[in-house]
Amino acid sequence: MLLVVLMLASGISLVPMALTAAGLDKGRRCLSAAGVGTGEVPPGDVLRSAAYRSCVEEHGMVPWWVGPATPGVLVVLACGLFFVLPVWKARRRRAVPLEAVDHDGRILRHLQHLAQVTGLKRMPRVVVDPSAASTGAAVFGRTGRPTLCLHGGLLARRTAVPEDFTAVLLHELAHIRNRDVTLTYATVALWRTFIAAVLVPYAVGFAILVFNSYAAETRPYEVGLPAWRALALPVFMTVVVYLARSDVLRSRELHADLAAARWGASPRVWGFVEPAQSVRMLPRALRSFTELWRTHPRWDVRREVLADSTPLYEVPGLLMFLTGAAVVMVNGQLWFFVGMSQRVDRWEWNVAMALPCAVLVTGIAGTVLWRSTVHRLLNGRRRLSGVWAGLWLGIGMTVSELFGNRIAIFRWLPGEPVVVLLLTLAGLTFTWWVTQCSHLWATAWRGRTVRTPMMLTLAGACLALCAWFWWWQAYGVILANIPGLLTNPLGPGDNGLLVLDPTGAHATILTTAQRTVALLSTTVAVPLALPAVAVLWIVPLLAWTVRPLSPVRRRDTALDPDVPAISDGSLPPLRRALSAGLFGGGVCWAGIVGMKAHMHVWQPPVRLRGIAGALLYQFEASVLLLAGTAVAALAASLLARRYRLIAALVAAHTAALAGYGGVWVLTASDGCLQGISTFVSACGWRPAATWQAFQYLLGILLILVTIEGVASAAAVSAARWACWRPARPVASAQAGQEPRRLNLRRLGVGVLCAGAIGILVALLSFPEPSGKRAAAPGGARPVTHSGFAAQEAWQQAEDWYNLGGRALLVRYDDNLGKLRALGPEAQKSSDSAALIKSRLPAICTEFGRIAKDGDVYFPVPDPRIQPSWKTFTTQAAKGSEDCLTGLRQNNAALLTTGVQEINQATRAADTIKAWITAIRTGRP
């Protein structure tokens, strides 16, 4: 499914990109040439202008439905190839029916017996390839109607080594029983169709682009860096798809081996090949690398899996890497298509881009993590950490994004490489959380299967990933692309809230808070961010409400005495995390009281008792709240022996609820306690005003609290891993005390869930009052940074130049060259007057045509250069008219005036060319 989604989603954008590169979709850039920015609604006068209509007619525009229709075309072509492949394979091998070789029916009866052993309800169609000398067989077609092809060499050894014959047949029948035939050949058919219908046209389109750019009859035009980066993307995509396809084929062979051995196949066939001799490290590493590209595993690997199937239930790094790389490519292709449709800011399109990627990662990586966790529990092995799996998942996403054309459009490396590391951290956090939740729920769940908690955990992980991909595609790619945007999202020259403090006594606090909140406001701008944060600690918290397993069903000893036992029958005490959370909330209460007492003594001056003083109070209260939650998360991580991440998240959010309660109570009752009154002296109760004052910061604080919990757990885990000691067994609760403790846990969990859901509903249901967003330091999205203007100016200048501006300037330079060469030629001619009269009219007429075409074309998109463009077209038209009139009237003065006007047009053209050169050489 990962390969199918990747290829179908890639076709949506690669086909339009190929048509654009081939020059068949240049008309789509006419709006940019007219000066319309990305995401802007084009004005009606631009759409109705003759310049726009002629630009679209001249350059052509591919219909919008070409991209969305590509997946359907690929599916239809792949289906046709899928049904043709079995017939083609049979004819290519010149296979004959089994009846033509099995005259006595003994082979058929043997096959029918093996089909009964494997549980097949229907016998496959059996053919024989007499020209194949190998001792193997193959299954192709589809699961509902498979074809089993027996090689001639296998039939020749049937009587000599019947055990090998049976083992090979059982292996091939296992493919049918495992129902992997249809999926395998459907993927192969789609892959070949994708190569022929997408990758080949993509390569042809860019070959046309390069050829046209460097053609001899035109002036050399430099192919932009985005075009070269776009060529690297399908190459990387091909590698990823091929590696994933090879990994799937190897995996199906190993599972078929296990099924055949379970049905009684003799292991002699796998031991027929001698084991490989020991090699040195470098050849072994090289052999491991070449193994990644093989569609069939080596014989030594197959023997190892038959002896111990545990590796099949591990979390392979290659699978995680390919998953991360593929989902980012899918997201990038959808992002490119939606961006071309000018619908990036609409929430439904953001969900359509983020949800498929989240479902793919959760369905593939999450399921593998759950399966490995349960397998380790059943075999008494050490718990899975998920760190290495997350590292490979994050590396795959990072590498894929670097090959894409989003975070580094006009350069090879991203403008802010630090932001790209968030992809790796996101992969680590995802696998760590899923692994701990899977182990927690697998040990606590009392049902016959773990399907219910598994679906609950994966649904929460999918929601969190959907919010992450939404933020990354909307804001992360921008922050990674524009240098300096991370440290100053508001752009240079923005004083912001500093006007509220003219003396600059609190300039550092206000500036830091302004930029920090402007940057973090992008997280709460994603509607799914706050529900995802709540899910990350509520879903594992619910495990403490389940009645624990009875001692009979507990498995307190490991099968392997060398592996430390893992207690899988009891959960760690919840009171540790709750105690740490309440302690952190107390720290926050104490900090708020201290801050109010300080401000009471300090008594802000009159100029800071308005908005600036309120903002200072809000920022300092937020910092104290974060400090209390950090203390709680760190304490919970130190106290926890297991599920450190979950304990840190629960403690941090418990402290956030308790701490925010303190902020709300003490602020709403300001003036009632004279020793800590800050802004008013009269006692009163102002809950609504307090909620409005902290509402725009609360969502940001909840996200920061989650980040603090993850960071604290990671720091403590890394420190304990550095000085690792065997974990001591955790004692189970006494049977008599368990019902009472269970009720207390359920009460505590209910209170926490009610508080979390109440805050979430309040933040999502009640909009901020008018004017509060304006008072907030920074908007939800950084849009005023100079880097955006530089990129937009570069793109508009390129489109204006390539769609007509370059042709007009080249025509003018050529005609000007003819005019300047006319004087030396006239001096060499015997009849200079006749030569000038014969050639000058055509030259002057061409200047007029150029001016007329310039008036029809778009003005220069840069307002600073538009006067030069106006001068160019006006003076060229005047010079042409005066030149022709002077020739007709034989007026030398008028002819001289025309030449002077053409000189003015030339100077204006030089200014335009200098602008183009500066834009292209100083590209962002």
Side-chain angles (χ1 to χ4, degrees):
M1 288 304 300
L2 180 67
L3 299 178
V4 169
V5 173
L6 174 60
M7 288 184 281
L8 294 181
S10 300
I12 295 178
S13 63
L14 290 183
V15 170
M17 287 175 64
L19 297 176
T20 302
L24 302 177
D25 196 28
K26 285 185 178 180
R28 195 172 301 277
R29 291 151 50 190
C30 291
L31 288 177
S32 177
V36 180
T38 303
E40 295 181 5
V41 178
D45 55 346
V46 173
L47 297 178
R48 293 188 298 268
S49 64
Y52 177 74
R53 292 196 301 268
S54 61
C55 178
V56 173
E57 292 175 359
E58 178 182 357
H59 299 285
M61 183 182 297
V62 176
W64 66 269
W65 48 262
V66 170
T70 301
V73 175
L74 288 177
V75 170
V76 172
L77 295 177
C79 288
L81 182 60
F82 173 78
F83 288 104
V84 170
L85 274 177
V87 179
W88 178 74
K89 280 180 172 290
R91 291 185 177 181
R92 187 192 64 171
R93 298 182 177 185
R94 298 178 182 179
V96 297
L98 178 62
E99 294 78 9
V101 179
D102 185 25
H103 301 289
D104 55 1
R106 296 179 60 182
I107 300 177
L108 180 60
R109 288 192 297 270
H110 187 48
L111 277 171
Q112 291 173 347
H113 170 70
L114 295 179
Q116 293 179 356
V117 172
T118 59
L120 292 179
K121 298 180 180 180
R122 181 179 178 182
M123 272 289 297
R125 174 173 172 260
V126 184
V127 296
V128 178
D129 184 4
S131 60
S134 61
T135 59
V139 176
F140 52 87
R142 57 185 187 272
T143 303
R145 191 178 179 183
T147 299
L148 174 60
C149 181
L150 307 179
H151 295 176
L154 179 65
L155 295 181
R157 289 175 52 87
R158 180 177 63 88
T159 57
V161 191
E163 296 85 358
D164 292 359
F165 180 74
T166 301
V168 171
L169 292 182
L170 288 174
H171 174 88
E172 299 302 328
L173 293 176
H175 285 304
I176 304 175
R177 185 67 176 83
N178 292 340
R179 307 185 66 84
D180 61 23
V181 182
T182 298
L183 294 178
T184 300
Y185 281 90
T187 305
V188 171
L190 183 59
W191 168 238
R192 295 180 179 179
T193 304
F194 181 74
I195 292 177
V198 177
L199 292 184
V200 172
Y202 192 86
V204 172
F206 273 88
I208 294 175
L209 172 66
V210 175
F211 177 78
N212 291 336
S213 301
Y214 294 98
E217 62 270 12
T218 62
R219 295 193 177 184
Y221 165 64
E222 179 186 0
V223 179
L225 182 57
W228 294 117
R229 291 186 59 87
L231 280 177
L233 177 63
V235 175
F236 179 71
M237 183 186 304
T238 304
V239 173
V240 169
V241 173
Y242 188 85
L243 286 175
R245 172 178 172 270
S246 302
D247 184 62
V248 169
L249 295 179
R250 287 196 307 271
S251 177
R252 71 189 283 265
E253 294 297 331
L254 295 176
H255 281 283
D257 287 345
L258 289 175
R262 188 169 61 249
W263 292 328
S266 174
R268 181 180 180 276
V269 64
W270 291 280
F272 179 75
V273 180
E274 294 295 330
Q277 298 180 355
S278 59
V279 293
R280 293 176 297 178
M281 182 59 66
L282 182 59
R284 183 177 302 173
L286 183 60
R287 188 177 62 174
S288 300
F289 177 76
T290 57
E291 177 72 12
L292 301 177
W293 307 87
R294 294 167 57 97
T295 57
H296 280 68
R298 300 193 312 267
W299 285 103
D300 56 342
V301 175
R302 302 174 79 159
R303 284 191 295 269
E304 292 173 0
V305 171
L306 286 176
D308 182 14
S309 62
T310 300
L312 287 180
Y313 295 93
E314 294 300 314
V315 184
L318 176 63
L319 175 62
M320 305 302 287
F321 176 84
L322 296 177
T323 302
V327 296
V328 168
M329 280 191 288
V330 169
N331 183 258
Q333 300 306 306
L334 295 176
W335 179 87
F336 181 83
F337 170 73
V338 173
M340 291 180 60
S341 305
Q342 305 290 334
R343 299 185 177 97
V344 179
D345 293 331
R346 297 177 60 177
W347 70 267
E348 58 269 23
W349 285 99
N350 277 289
V351 173
M353 290 187 290
L355 185 58
C357 304
V359 171
L360 284 175
V361 176
T362 306
I364 296 172
T367 303
V368 170
L369 291 169
W370 258 91
R371 185 179 66 169
S372 179
T373 299
V374 174
H375 187 270
R376 284 171 175 257
L377 280 173
L378 294 177
N379 290 273
R381 301 172 61 225
R382 288 185 59 186
R383 289 190 299 126
L384 181 69
S385 67
V387 174
W388 285 110
L391 185 62
W392 281 112
L393 178 66
I395 290 176
M397 292 193 293
T398 303
V399 172
S400 181
E401 194 64 78
L402 290 175
F403 273 90
N405 220 355
R406 294 197 297 183
I407 63 173
I409 302 177
F410 302 99
R411 59 183 65 86
W412 285 112
L413 295 178
E416 291 287 353
V418 176
V419 181
V420 187
L421 295 179
L422 294 178
L423 290 166
T424 304
L425 297 178
L428 279 169
T429 305
F430 167 78
T431 56
W432 193 14
W433 185 84
V434 170
T435 302
Q436 291 207 358
C437 286
S438 61
H439 195 280
L440 178 71
W441 276 105
T443 57
W445 188 247
R446 299 190 63 193
R448 297 181 60 184
T449 66
V450 293
R451 184 171 301 168
T452 300
M454 175 181 173
M455 297 304 297
L456 176 65
T457 303
L458 295 184
C462 183
L463 177 63
L465 274 182
C466 189
W468 158 255
F469 280 112
W470 188 334
W471 179 85
W472 178 256
Q473 70 199 14
Y475 305 103
V477 294
I478 299 175
L479 294 173
N481 190 8
I482 308 298
L485 188 60
L486 183 64
T487 55
N488 188 8
L490 297 176
D494 193 315
N495 294 325
L497 301 179
L498 297 183
V499 297
L500 302 177
D501 184 19
T503 62
H506 303 85
T508 303
I509 298 177
L510 290 174
T511 302
T512 303
Q514 179 188 22
R515 294 180 178 180
T516 301
V517 175
L519 183 63
L520 294 176
S521 294
T522 61
T523 58
V524 294
V526 177
L528 297 180
L530 295 179
V533 165
V535 162
L536 288 179
W537 69 284
I538 289 179
V539 167
L541 187 63
L542 295 176
W544 273 274
T545 63
V546 178
R547 190 179 299 276
L549 299 173
S550 62
V552 177
R553 297 183 60 189
R554 292 177 183 169
R555 195 184 185 101
D556 295 329
T557 59
L559 298 181
D560 189 352
D562 297 331
V563 178
I566 299 177
S567 176
D568 58 349
S570 62
L571 297 179
L574 182 60
R575 63 178 179 274
R576 295 180 179 177
L578 296 183
S579 300
L582 294 177
F583 176 73
V587 171
C588 181
W589 278 69
I592 294 298
V593 171
M595 181 194 71
K596 288 176 66 64
H598 171 69
M599 294 189 72
H600 174 75
V601 176
W602 170 49
Q603 281 300 318
V606 176
R607 61 178 176 79
L608 288 179
R609 291 184 183 180
I611 297 179
L615 290 176
L616 287 174
Y617 180 85
Q618 293 169 5
F619 297 150
E620 292 180 7
S622 301
V623 171
L624 292 173
L625 179 63
L626 292 176
T629 55
V631 170
L634 188 61
S637 301
L638 292 172
L639 293 174
R641 297 176 184 174
R642 293 179 291 161
Y643 315 117
R644 192 167 289 119
L645 174 62
I646 295 173
L649 290 175
V650 171
H653 281 276
T654 302
L657 293 177
Y660 180 73
V663 173
W664 185 72
V665 170
L666 293 175
T667 305
S669 61
D670 187 31
C672 295
L673 299 176
Q674 293 301 320
I676 59 174
S677 61
T678 306
F679 295 99
V680 295
S681 57
C683 181
W685 181 245
R686 295 167 287 272
T690 304
W691 170 260
Q692 294 177 1
F694 284 92
Q695 181 182 359
Y696 79 96
L697 284 176
L698 184 55
I700 297 175
L701 292 176
L702 292 178
I703 294 175
L704 286 177
V705 165
T706 305
I707 297 174
E708 282 184 343
V710 175
S712 300
V716 174
S717 298
R720 292 210 171 167
W721 176 81
C723 51
W724 179 80
R725 295 291 185 274
R728 292 178 295 176
V730 181
S732 301
Q734 298 295 329
Q737 300 177 355
E738 188 54 43
R740 178 172 172 270
R741 293 184 177 181
L742 179 61
N743 293 332
L744 291 176
R745 288 201 304 268
R746 288 177 174 175
L747 177 61
V749 170
V751 172
L752 291 177
C753 291
I757 295 175
I759 290 291
L760 177 63
V761 171
L763 288 174
L764 297 179
S765 301
F766 299 100
E768 298 177 10
S770 59
K772 182 60 66 177
R773 175 63 66 184
R781 184 172 184 174
V783 295
T784 59
H785 198 276
S786 59
F788 291 103
Q791 285 194 2
E792 196 73 55
W794 184 90
Q795 189 62 55
Q796 291 178 356
E798 284 287 305
D799 292 335
W800 180 89
Y801 186 65
N802 295 327
L803 296 184
R806 174 178 176 272
L808 288 171
L809 294 175
V810 168
R811 285 173 55 193
Y812 184 84
D813 288 343
D814 292 342
N815 202 50
L816 184 63
K818 294 179 182 178
L819 177 62
R820 290 175 175 174
L822 185 59
E825 292 182 7
Q827 292 178 359
K828 297 178 182 180
S829 175
S830 58
D831 191 357
S832 58
L835 179 64
I836 292 176
K837 289 183 179 181
S838 63
R839 293 190 181 182
L840 189 56
I843 296 176
C844 294
T845 303
E846 180 63 17
F847 278 124
R849 291 173 181 172
I850 294 173
K852 183 179 180 181
D853 293 341
D855 286 331
V856 175
Y857 189 56
F858 301 114
V860 177
D862 193 337
R864 298 170 301 176
I865 310 298
Q866 286 180 1
S868 298
W869 179 254
K870 184 65 176 177
T871 301
F872 168 73
T873 55
T874 302
Q875 295 302 319
K878 282 177 151 184
S880 173
E881 182 179 357
D882 290 343
C883 176
L884 293 175
T885 304
L887 287 174
R888 287 195 303 269
Q889 299 177 359
N890 199 17
N891 189 337
L894 191 59
L895 188 61
T896 302
T897 302
V899 173
Q900 293 175 350
E901 290 167 343
I902 290 175
N903 289 333
Q904 294 179 11
T906 303
R907 288 192 292 270
D910 292 338
T911 303
I912 297 171
K913 288 185 285 186
W915 165 73
I916 284 289
T917 303
I919 285 288
R920 302 180 77 187
T921 55
R923 67 185 58 173

